[in-house]
Amino acid sequence: MDNRKILETIRMLEQENLDIRTVTMGISLLDCIDSNAENANRKIYDKMMRCSEKLVDTTSEVSKLYGIPIINNRISVTPISLIAGATDLKNYVSFAKTLDKVAKNVGVDFVGGFSALVHKGFNKGDRILINSIADALSQTDFVCSSVNVGSTKAGINMDAVKIMGDVVLDLAYKTRENDSIGCAKLVVFANAVEDNPFMAGAFHGVGESDTIINVGVSGPGVVKCALEKVRGESFDVVAETIKKTAFKITRMGELVGHEVSKRLNTGFGIIDLSLAPTPAVGDSVARIIEEIGVGKVGGHGTTAALAMLNDAVKKGGIMASSHVGGLSGAFIPVSEDEGMIAAANTGTITFDKLEAMTSVCSVGLDMIAIPGDTPASTISAIIADEAAIGVINNKTTAIRVIPVYGKSVGEEAKFGGLLGYAPIMDIGSTTSEVFSNRGGTIPAPIHSFKN
């Protein structure tokens, strides 16, 4: 690498908020299945500790070696519904507490995988796990949960959608002392992927290796700075600039991923090059959209700008690596993006506009604070709407809405750290009770039949 490129990379790291957002170790728990719950929990604890005990020290060493900030260390595991289903327990909180204990002992930020995949129906373990989510997440600190309720191949499990509305509201109540923060650790998916390193939706898919390292890279500030140099140029130039920037970011992530994997003697999985913002100034996806030319994020042109950004990021990443995976693109979490927060506070960006944007971005309705008195049926309908966007468009979508107990439109919820803060958004007052109570399945779309 010549001196100019070295200096360019240093500038990205020091001035433009480029970082490795997460190194996530995926661990298969399939060999921990046991009909005795106590034995199963012991096996899980022993295996997770054995595999991950050196993770944090290793990423620290690699960070110092290359001078690249690594912000988070995380673990994802096989969906717990598949493991705990072999037991005769009626509640899986003990499994969540085992995951939490590992997180605290190893020193990681989150553990993902208190999860169930119910896009085509329920197994015994799925129902028990879903009914355990509110207790599990309110009684642990680092455990994250996800439920996949739909897929392009299967359609949408509306029975699961209805239940998840109740679960979200129950979890909001049980963590009401902290602005219902438990809901920030729960994601409802359509078309969930097996190698996502980002929380709260990470889990280790059954098709993955026994252990794996997945890396999530983030650089909204880098992309914005690159676009500042091409102001007034055509969209062709803008797209090419984003592609070249994503290429550089991906290369850095792959370098770190391979080094961490080698030192831990485990496989290297994927680079997820999602532009994941933070509440810090200069680290915002919203500001990229405004740099492209939209006066204020949420204004006319926002969806088109986001579509181009998402596509160009993916193209640049695929040019740089054969191991691009996860979600990869652009996230639009309201509470975690200072530009989104500002737009929500002024009313420029609305809940409906955010939903439209999810049709072209990496995930979906993410970290959105809504009134605490929102009915469960309305939350279920929001989940169904977002799942439909994913199912019809054959893409991953997700819902992480937070009904903040005791607060209403115009007030603010504070979550802290990377989770940030958010104004309570107006979602209207129309009822969706009849819709949400129908149950059954919304069938798979016609274009799903491709065999």
Side-chain angles (χ1 to χ4, degrees):
M1 185 179 288
D2 62 37
N3 290 338
R4 180 180 58 82
K5 291 183 178 178
I6 292 171
L7 290 172
E8 180 182 46
T9 303
I10 291 171
R11 186 184 69 252
M12 288 178 179
L13 295 168
E14 292 184 347
Q15 301 175 20
E16 300 171 8
N17 296 309
L18 177 61
D19 58 52
I20 301 295
R21 185 56 48 84
T22 179
V23 173
T24 301
M25 171 175 274
I27 303 174
S28 172
L29 301 182
L30 293 175
D31 54 352
C32 299
I33 292 174
D34 196 298
S35 59
N36 182 289
E38 186 176 337
N39 289 342
N41 274 297
R42 177 181 50 77
K43 290 179 182 178
I44 290 170
Y45 178 82
D46 289 346
K47 181 170 186 181
M48 290 180 68
M49 288 298 300
R50 183 174 68 252
C51 293
S52 66
E53 61 183 350
K54 296 180 180 178
L55 175 62
V56 174
D57 287 343
T58 301
T59 58
S60 178
E61 291 167 2
V62 172
S63 176
K64 290 175 184 175
L65 175 66
Y66 293 120
I68 298 171
I70 297 176
I71 307 302
N72 294 298
N73 296 279
R74 297 163 175 170
I75 298 171
S76 64
V77 298
T78 309
I80 290 297
S81 65
L82 302 178
I83 310 303
T87 73
D88 58 3
L89 291 182
K90 303 301 181 186
N91 183 294
Y92 294 160
V93 172
S94 64
F95 285 88
K97 289 183 175 180
T98 296
L99 301 183
D100 204 47
K101 184 179 178 182
V102 172
K104 290 172 179 174
N105 288 346
V106 172
V108 296
D109 303 279
F110 287 114
V111 176
F114 196 77
S115 305
L117 311 176
V118 296
H119 41 283
K120 206 167 183 178
F122 299 94
N123 289 308
K124 182 196 78 168
D126 298 327
R127 289 188 181 276
I128 298 173
L129 183 131
I130 289 170
N131 290 333
S132 303
I133 288 174
D135 286 334
L137 299 194
S138 62
Q139 294 178 36
T140 57
D141 296 313
F142 302 110
V143 175
C144 292
S145 179
S146 60
V147 178
N148 192 65
V149 298
S151 73
T152 299
K153 276 289 189 183
I156 304 171
N157 181 346
M158 291 301 292
D159 292 322
V161 167
K162 180 181 185 301
I163 294 169
M164 289 312 300
D166 292 316
V167 169
V168 170
L169 214 52
D170 188 21
L171 179 56
Y173 178 77
K174 286 179 175 172
T175 55
R176 63 192 179 279
E177 300 300 326
N178 295 300
D179 277 349
S180 301
I181 195 172
C183 297
K185 298 187 290 179
L186 171 62
V187 178
V188 185
F189 274 118
N191 290 322
V193 296
E194 296 190 334
D195 54 7
N196 166 28
F198 285 100
M199 298 298 171
F203 63 86
H204 189 70
V206 295
E208 298 288 314
S209 301
D210 191 51
T211 59
I212 206 81
I213 292 293
N214 295 322
V215 174
V217 187
S218 184
V222 177
V223 174
K224 182 180 182 297
C225 288
L227 292 180
E228 288 173 357
K229 299 170 186 174
V230 295
R231 287 175 178 170
E233 299 284 355
S234 71
F235 279 106
D236 306 87
V237 175
V238 171
E240 192 65 22
T241 301
I242 296 169
K243 277 170 52 181
K244 289 178 179 178
T245 306
F247 180 93
K248 295 171 187 174
I249 293 170
T250 306
R251 284 291 203 199
M252 184 193 75
E254 187 165 48
L255 175 70
V256 169
H258 279 296
E259 185 64 29
V260 171
S261 300
K262 182 176 73 174
R263 291 178 179 227
L264 291 174
N265 194 30
T266 189
F268 170 65
I270 57 92
I271 298 291
D272 185 321
L273 52 143
S274 295
L275 298 181
T278 71
V281 173
D283 202 23
S284 163
V285 170
R287 300 306 185 194
I288 296 175
I289 293 170
E290 292 169 0
E291 182 61 40
I292 290 171
V294 177
K296 192 75 172 177
V297 67
H300 300 298
T302 293
T303 306
L306 182 60
M308 184 193 64
L309 171 64
N310 209 58
D311 180 66
V313 165
K314 291 178 187 291
K315 287 174 177 173
I318 289 170
M319 286 166 55
S321 173
S322 299
H323 300 282
V324 171
L327 301 167
S328 291
F331 290 175
I332 53 170
V334 175
S335 79
E336 299 174 10
D337 186 310
E338 62 86 16
M340 291 287 185
I341 295 167
N345 276 325
T346 59
T348 311
I349 197 160
T350 64
F351 190 86
D352 291 341
K353 184 60 176 178
L354 284 165
E355 184 179 293
M357 293 164 66
T358 66
S359 66
V360 297
C361 77
S362 281
V363 192
L365 295 169
D366 195 17
M367 289 301 292
I368 299 173
I370 62 176
D373 61 358
T374 303
S377 59
T378 299
I379 297 171
S380 295
I382 290 170
I383 293 170
D385 282 343
E386 196 58 32
I389 290 173
V391 166
I392 295 297
N393 289 292
N394 197 25
K395 68 183 289 294
T396 302
T397 50
I399 306 91
R400 192 162 46 147
V401 294
I402 304 167
V404 184
Y405 186 83
K407 292 190 175 181
S408 55
V409 175
E411 296 184 83
E412 188 176 83
K414 296 181 180 179
F415 307 119
L418 285 175
L419 298 177
Y421 63 97
I424 312 299
M425 298 191 75
D426 186 356
I427 60 171
S429 56
T430 11
T431 179
S432 304
E433 190 168 354
V434 173
F435 172 84
S436 298
N437 285 335
R438 281 185 178 273
T441 301
I442 293 179
I446 187 66
H447 60 259
S448 69
F449 300 105
K450 292 182 178 179
N451 288 342

